[in-house]
CSV table of all heavy atoms in Angstrom, one decimal:
chain,number,residue,atom,x,y,z
A,173,VAL,N,-3.2,-24.2,18.1
A,173,VAL,CA,-2.3,-25.1,17.4
A,173,VAL,C,-2.8,-26.5,17.4
A,173,VAL,O,-2.6,-27.2,16.4
A,173,VAL,CB,-0.9,-25.0,18.0
A,173,VAL,CG1,-0.8,-25.7,19.4
A,173,VAL,CG2,0.2,-25.5,17.0
A,174,SER,N,-3.5,-26.9,18.4
A,174,SER,CA,-3.9,-28.4,18.4
A,174,SER,C,-5.0,-28.6,17.3
A,174,SER,O,-5.2,-29.7,16.9
A,174,SER,CB,-4.5,-28.8,19.8
A,174,SER,OG,-5.3,-27.8,20.3
A,175,ASP,N,-5.7,-27.5,16.9
A,175,ASP,CA,-6.7,-27.7,15.8
A,175,ASP,C,-6.1,-27.4,14.4
A,175,ASP,O,-6.8,-27.4,13.4
A,175,ASP,CB,-7.9,-26.8,16.1
A,175,ASP,CG,-8.5,-27.1,17.4
A,175,ASP,OD1,-8.5,-28.3,17.8
A,175,ASP,OD2,-9.0,-26.1,18.1
A,176,ALA,N,-4.8,-27.0,14.4
A,176,ALA,CA,-4.2,-26.6,13.1
A,176,ALA,C,-3.6,-27.8,12.4
A,176,ALA,O,-3.1,-28.7,13.1
A,176,ALA,CB,-3.2,-25.5,13.4
A,177,GLN,N,-3.7,-27.7,11.1
A,177,GLN,CA,-2.9,-28.7,10.3
A,177,GLN,C,-1.8,-28.1,9.6
A,177,GLN,O,-1.8,-26.9,9.3
A,177,GLN,CB,-3.9,-29.4,9.2
A,177,GLN,CG,-4.9,-30.4,9.7
A,177,GLN,CD,-6.3,-29.9,9.6
A,177,GLN,OE1,-6.6,-29.2,8.6
A,177,GLN,NE2,-7.1,-30.2,10.5
A,178,MET,N,-0.7,-28.9,9.3
A,178,MET,CA,0.3,-28.4,8.4
A,178,MET,C,-0.4,-28.1,7.1
A,178,MET,O,-1.3,-28.7,6.7
A,178,MET,CB,1.3,-29.5,8.2
A,178,MET,CG,2.2,-29.9,9.3
A,178,MET,SD,3.3,-31.2,8.6
A,178,MET,CE,2.7,-32.6,9.6
A,179,THR,N,0.2,-27.1,6.4
A,179,THR,CA,-0.3,-26.8,5.0
A,179,THR,C,-0.1,-28.1,4.2
A,179,THR,O,1.0,-28.8,4.4
A,179,THR,CB,0.4,-25.6,4.4
A,179,THR,OG1,1.7,-25.7,4.6
A,179,THR,CG2,-0.2,-24.3,4.9
A,180,PRO,N,-0.9,-28.4,3.3
A,180,PRO,CA,-0.8,-29.7,2.5
A,180,PRO,C,0.6,-29.8,1.9
A,180,PRO,O,1.2,-30.9,2.0
A,180,PRO,CB,-1.9,-29.5,1.4
A,180,PRO,CG,-2.9,-28.6,2.0
A,180,PRO,CD,-2.1,-27.6,2.9
A,181,ARG,N,1.2,-28.8,1.4
A,181,ARG,CA,2.5,-28.8,0.7
A,181,ARG,C,3.6,-29.1,1.8
A,181,ARG,O,4.5,-29.9,1.5
A,181,ARG,CB,2.8,-27.5,0.1
A,181,ARG,CG,4.1,-27.4,-0.7
A,181,ARG,CD,4.2,-28.1,-1.9
A,181,ARG,NE,5.4,-27.9,-2.7
A,181,ARG,CZ,6.2,-28.9,-3.1
A,181,ARG,NH1,5.8,-30.1,-3.0
A,181,ARG,NH2,7.3,-28.6,-3.8
A,182,PHE,N,3.4,-28.6,3.0
A,182,PHE,CA,4.4,-28.8,4.1
A,182,PHE,C,4.3,-30.3,4.4
A,182,PHE,O,5.3,-31.0,4.5
A,182,PHE,CB,4.0,-27.9,5.2
A,182,PHE,CG,4.9,-28.0,6.4
A,182,PHE,CD1,6.2,-28.5,6.4
A,182,PHE,CD2,4.5,-27.4,7.7
A,182,PHE,CE1,7.0,-28.6,7.6
A,182,PHE,CE2,5.3,-27.5,8.8
A,182,PHE,CZ,6.5,-28.1,8.7
A,183,SER,N,3.1,-30.8,4.6
A,183,SER,CA,2.9,-32.2,5.0
A,183,SER,C,3.4,-33.1,3.9
A,183,SER,O,4.1,-34.1,4.2
A,183,SER,CB,1.4,-32.4,5.2
A,183,SER,OG,1.1,-33.7,5.5
A,184,HIS,N,3.2,-32.8,2.7
A,184,HIS,CA,3.6,-33.6,1.6
A,184,HIS,C,5.2,-33.7,1.6
A,184,HIS,O,5.8,-34.8,1.4
A,184,HIS,CB,3.1,-33.0,0.2
A,184,HIS,CG,3.8,-33.6,-1.0
A,184,HIS,ND1,3.5,-34.9,-1.5
A,184,HIS,CD2,4.9,-33.2,-1.7
A,184,HIS,CE1,4.3,-35.1,-2.5
A,184,HIS,NE2,5.1,-34.1,-2.7
A,185,LEU,N,5.8,-32.5,1.7
A,185,LEU,CA,7.3,-32.5,1.7
A,185,LEU,C,7.9,-33.3,2.8
A,185,LEU,O,8.8,-34.1,2.6
A,185,LEU,CB,7.8,-31.1,1.7
A,185,LEU,CG,7.7,-30.3,0.4
A,185,LEU,CD1,8.0,-28.8,0.6
A,185,LEU,CD2,8.7,-30.9,-0.6
A,186,LEU,N,7.3,-33.2,4.0
A,186,LEU,CA,7.8,-34.0,5.1
A,186,LEU,C,7.7,-35.5,4.9
A,186,LEU,O,8.6,-36.2,5.4
A,186,LEU,CB,7.1,-33.6,6.4
A,186,LEU,CG,7.6,-32.5,7.3
A,186,LEU,CD1,6.9,-32.4,8.6
A,186,LEU,CD2,9.1,-32.5,7.5
A,187,ARG,N,6.7,-35.9,4.2
A,187,ARG,CA,6.5,-37.3,3.9
A,187,ARG,C,7.3,-37.8,2.7
A,187,ARG,O,7.4,-39.0,2.4
A,187,ARG,CB,5.1,-37.6,3.7
A,187,ARG,CG,4.2,-37.6,5.0
A,187,ARG,CD,2.9,-38.3,4.8
A,187,ARG,NE,2.3,-37.9,3.5
A,187,ARG,CZ,1.5,-36.8,3.3
A,187,ARG,NH1,1.3,-36.1,4.4
A,187,ARG,NH2,1.0,-36.5,2.2
A,188,SER,N,7.8,-36.8,1.9
A,188,SER,CA,8.5,-37.2,0.6
A,188,SER,C,9.9,-37.7,0.9
A,188,SER,O,10.5,-37.5,1.9
A,188,SER,CB,8.5,-36.0,-0.3
A,188,SER,OG,9.6,-35.2,0.1
A,189,ASN,N,10.5,-38.3,-0.2
A,189,ASN,CA,11.9,-38.7,-0.1
A,189,ASN,C,12.8,-37.8,-0.9
A,189,ASN,O,13.9,-38.1,-1.2
A,189,ASN,CB,12.0,-40.2,-0.6
A,189,ASN,CG,11.4,-41.2,0.4
A,189,ASN,OD1,11.5,-41.0,1.6
A,189,ASN,ND2,10.7,-42.2,-0.1
A,190,ASP,N,12.2,-36.6,-1.2
A,190,ASP,CA,13.0,-35.7,-2.0
A,190,ASP,C,13.8,-34.7,-1.2
A,190,ASP,O,14.5,-33.9,-1.8
A,190,ASP,CB,12.0,-34.8,-2.9
A,190,ASP,CG,11.1,-35.6,-3.8
A,190,ASP,OD1,11.3,-36.8,-3.8
A,190,ASP,OD2,10.3,-35.0,-4.5
A,191,LEU,N,13.7,-34.8,0.1
A,191,LEU,CA,14.4,-33.8,0.9
A,191,LEU,C,15.9,-34.1,1.1
A,191,LEU,O,16.2,-35.2,1.4
A,191,LEU,CB,13.7,-33.7,2.3
A,191,LEU,CG,12.3,-33.2,2.4
A,191,LEU,CD1,11.9,-33.1,3.8
A,191,LEU,CD2,12.1,-31.9,1.6
A,192,ARG,N,16.7,-33.0,0.9
A,192,ARG,CA,18.1,-33.2,1.1
A,192,ARG,C,18.4,-32.8,2.6
A,192,ARG,O,19.4,-33.2,3.1
A,192,ARG,CB,19.0,-32.4,0.1
A,192,ARG,CG,19.0,-30.9,0.4
A,192,ARG,CD,20.1,-30.2,-0.4
A,192,ARG,NE,19.7,-30.1,-1.8
A,192,ARG,CZ,20.6,-29.7,-2.7
A,192,ARG,NH1,21.8,-29.5,-2.4
A,192,ARG,NH2,20.2,-29.6,-4.0
A,193,ALA,N,17.6,-31.9,3.1
A,193,ALA,CA,17.8,-31.5,4.5
A,193,ALA,C,16.6,-30.8,5.0
A,193,ALA,O,15.8,-30.2,4.2
A,193,ALA,CB,19.0,-30.5,4.5
A,194,ILE,N,16.4,-30.8,6.3
A,194,ILE,CA,15.4,-30.0,7.0
A,194,ILE,C,16.3,-29.0,7.8
A,194,ILE,O,17.1,-29.5,8.7
A,194,ILE,CB,14.5,-30.8,7.9
A,194,ILE,CG1,13.7,-31.8,7.1
A,194,ILE,CG2,13.6,-29.9,8.7
A,194,ILE,CD1,12.9,-32.9,7.9
A,195,ILE,N,16.1,-27.7,7.6
A,195,ILE,CA,17.0,-26.7,8.2
A,195,ILE,C,16.2,-25.9,9.2
A,195,ILE,O,15.3,-25.2,8.7
A,195,ILE,CB,17.7,-25.9,7.1
A,195,ILE,CG1,18.6,-26.8,6.2
A,195,ILE,CG2,18.6,-24.8,7.8
A,195,ILE,CD1,19.0,-26.1,4.9
A,196,ILE,N,16.6,-25.9,10.4
A,196,ILE,CA,15.9,-25.0,11.4
A,196,ILE,C,16.8,-23.8,11.5
A,196,ILE,O,17.9,-23.8,11.9
A,196,ILE,CB,15.8,-25.7,12.8
A,196,ILE,CG1,15.0,-27.0,12.7
A,196,ILE,CG2,15.3,-24.7,13.8
A,196,ILE,CD1,14.8,-27.7,14.0
A,197,CYS,N,16.3,-22.7,10.9
A,197,CYS,CA,17.0,-21.4,10.8
A,197,CYS,C,17.3,-20.8,12.2
A,197,CYS,O,16.6,-21.1,13.1
A,197,CYS,CB,16.3,-20.5,9.9
A,197,CYS,SG,16.2,-21.0,8.2
Side-chain angles (χ1 to χ4, degrees):
V173 75
S174 45
D175 301 326
Q177 283 115 35
M178 287 182 251
T179 43
R181 180 74 175 130
F182 182 16
S183 176
H184 166 79
L185 281 170
L186 271 190
R187 285 196 317 275
S188 80
N189 290 321
D190 301 357
L191 294 185
R192 74 167 76 193
I194 298 170
I195 300 165
I196 300 179
C197 292

